[in-house]
């Protein structure tokens, strides 16, 4: 079953909140354009996240306009109905259908955008739009302002201020509402199922792309529209390449596989990493590294709670990882030295998480006025420590080429965080049990 993302009340309430935050003025938010992949073939269409958050409207060629003020109103500009185009490319709501179904106050054909906006901007204090996001829209925004200024002699005032509307929407998107959490839990559960499926399917002599196929199959058969980002399926030392996506190598007995994959469902991303043996068991060296990363993740998750600062989970993870690196003889000196000189960064070079929502690296500041921001209830983030030991002469033999990351998606609450991806197996015992089950069933 797919979540119902066409909820005009929900999106209308978000538009009303944005109108209030604007304190006057007009905002213009275009959705994403269609993009050509080659000649006359397009990439799969994906709407703009800010536009979609405020409309739920899935078609390309659409622009949302909100006029703030005592009685705010929302206007949608979209493609007109067109029997021929709909015969070739599929259904279009058209302005009237869109207004009725999505709850806009007014709606117009997209061709009327420029003239109507130039009208709407008269005597308004400010124009809000995604400033700098797209050069063509920047030029168009200037043309609207100039069109209003051209009417100055007839007494019409032009906006004196231009703002990036994304700053206001980002803040709203940072704290998820009940509808969003429902969709995100479902996306997380589909992705957890996909990881279980891939863990079961991994076998010596198989290929990374076979596991990629298992993931994509599980996403799509559960109604997810897309992978939220291209899956990373990295066998052996490929796991030490952070953004490995070629996924074309053979899987070998005795090696680990790192899979970083999550689906996008009704616009919302999930983001899970699991690292597990190709065959039945972790080697002692792999297990040692794995347990350190798992402990780092537990320490970080323990710091994910309302009232804590954004960097507390990262700092907690780094401490555990650095101590582990000392135990493994990957770095030398005291723990304080390793932390202070940041020698741990050779083996752990990324941050421990990011906001998660409509975008996999979701909207929202991490610092405000120079200070890490405070976690509050309803924020969703990832917790994803790792250890990446590239082969080198000064690295113990048994550890060379081991790469481990463990990533879950968590919801901030007043107490312990809710791990919405918990259904993906994670402890050594659970992973090895799943692999044993596969061998038993095959035998
Ligand atoms: N899969 C992207 C990330 O983990 O940030
Ligand atoms: Mn992530
Ligand atoms: Mn990830």
């Amino acid at each position: 079953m797919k979540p119902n993302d066409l909820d005009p009340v929900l999106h209308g309430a978000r538009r009303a909140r944005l109108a209030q935050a604007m304190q006057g003025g007009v905002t213009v938010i275009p959705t994403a354009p269609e993009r050509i992949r080659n000649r006359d073939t397009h990439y799969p269409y994906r709407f703009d996240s800010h536009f979609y958050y405020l409309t739920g409207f899935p078609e390309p060629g659409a622009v949302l306009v909100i006029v703030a003020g005592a009685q705010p109103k929302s206007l949608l500009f979209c493609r007109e109905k067109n029997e021929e185009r709909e015969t070739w490319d599929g259904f279009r709501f058209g302005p009237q259908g869109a207004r009725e179904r999505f709850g806009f106050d007014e709606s117009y054909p997209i061709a009327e955008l420029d003239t109507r906006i130039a009208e709407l901007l008269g005597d308004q204090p400010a124009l809000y739009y995604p400033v700098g996001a797209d050069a063509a829209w920047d030029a168009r925004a200037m043309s609207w302002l100039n069109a209003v200024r051209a009417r100055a002699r007839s007494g019409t005032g032009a906006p004196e201020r231009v703002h990036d509307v994304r700053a206001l929407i980002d803040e709203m998107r940072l704290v998820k509402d009940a509808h969003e959490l429902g969709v995100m839990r479902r996306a997380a559960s589909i992705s957890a199922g996909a990881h279980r499926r891939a863990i079961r399917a991994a076998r010596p002599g198989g290929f990374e792309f076979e596991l990629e196929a298992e993931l994509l199959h599980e996403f799509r058969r559960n109604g997810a529209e897309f992978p939220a980002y291209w899956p990373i399926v990295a066998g052996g030392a490929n796991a030490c390449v952070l953004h490995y996506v070629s996924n074309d190598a053979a899987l070998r007995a005795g090696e680990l596989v790192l899979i970083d994959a999550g689906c996008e469902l009704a616009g919302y991303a999930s983001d899970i990493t699991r690292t597990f043996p190709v065959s039945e068991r972790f080697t002692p060296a792999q297990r040692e590294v794995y347990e350190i990363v798992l402990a780092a993740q537990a320490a970080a998750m323990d710091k994910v709670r309302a009232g804590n600062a954004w960097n507390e989970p990262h700092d907690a993870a780094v401490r555990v990882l650095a101590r582990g690196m000392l135990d493994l003889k990957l770095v030398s000196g005291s723990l304080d030295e390793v932390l202070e000189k940041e020698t741990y960064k050779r083996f752990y070079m990324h941050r421990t998480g990011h906001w998660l929502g409509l975008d996999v690296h979701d909207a929202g500041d991490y610092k405000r006025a120079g200070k890490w921001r405070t976690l509050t209830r309803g924020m969703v983030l990832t917790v994803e420590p790792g250890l990446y030991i590239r082969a080198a002469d000064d690295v113990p033999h048994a550890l060379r080429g081991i790469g481990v990351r463990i990533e879950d998606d968590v919801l901030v609450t007043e107490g312990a965080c809710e791990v919405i991806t918990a259904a993906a197996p994670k402890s050594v015992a659970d992973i090895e049990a799943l692999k044993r089950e596969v061998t038993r069933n095959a035998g």
Side-chain angles (χ1 to χ4, degrees), residues 271 354 382 384 407:
D271 185 5
H354 49 84
T382 66
E384 49 177 306
E407 175 175 29

Side-chain angles (χ1 to χ4, degrees), residues 27-33 45-52 54-55 57 59-65 75-77 110 113 117 128-131 133-134 136-138 140-141 144 165-166 169:
T27 190
V28 182
I29 304 171
T31 194
Y45 181 69
R46 168 56 155 76
F47 41 73
D48 173 78
S49 296
H50 287 107
F51 173 89
Y52 189 74
L54 296 165
T55 62
F57 190 69
E59 292 181 18
V63 174
L64 170 68
V65 175
L75 296 68
L76 185 79
F77 293 81
I110 187 71
L113 183 73
I117 290 192
Y128 288 77
Y129 78 99
V131 179
D134 180 282
W137 282 103
D138 284 335
R140 221 159 152 181
W144 303 327
V165 69
R166 291 173 295 184
I169 309 172

Side-chain angles (χ1 to χ4, degrees), residues 388-407:
Y388 313 94
I389 311 172
R390 297 178 79 92
D393 290 345
D394 60 343
V395 162
H397 262 284
L399 301 177
R400 291 183 190 173
I402 295 180
V404 173
R405 178 165 63 254
I406 305 171
E407 175 175 29

Side-chain angles (χ1 to χ4, degrees), residues 3-15 52-57 101-103 177 179:
N4 175 15
D5 52 333
L6 298 186
D7 183 345
V9 176
L10 181 80
H11 295 100
R14 291 179 188 160
R15 293 194 292 272
Y52 189 74
Y53 179 76
L54 296 165
T55 62
F57 190 69
R101 183 69 187 86
F102 294 82
D177 59 34
H179 171 88

Side-chain angles (χ1 to χ4, degrees), residues 229 232 259-262 270-273 354 360-361 382 384 405 407 409:
Y229 51 92
I232 295 169
I259 292 185
D260 185 342
S270 51
D271 185 5
I272 303 179
T273 307
H354 49 84
V360 63
H361 294 165
T382 66
E384 49 177 306
R405 178 165 63 254
E407 175 175 29
D409 305 343

Side-chain angles (χ1 to χ4, degrees), residues 333-351:
S334 68
L335 179 59
D336 284 345
E337 272 167 11
V338 173
L339 294 173
E340 201 174 310
K341 294 185 186 151
E342 299 187 335
T343 47
Y344 65 83
K345 283 194 172 171
R346 177 174 168 199
F347 303 101
Y348 182 51
M349 57 299 279
H350 60 77
R351 301 282 309 178

Side-chain angles (χ1 to χ4, degrees), residues 141-158:
M142 293 311 118
S143 78
W144 303 327
L145 291 174
N146 286 332
V148 193
R149 288 177 191 134
R151 303 206 309 271
R153 258 182 275 164
S154 64
T156 308

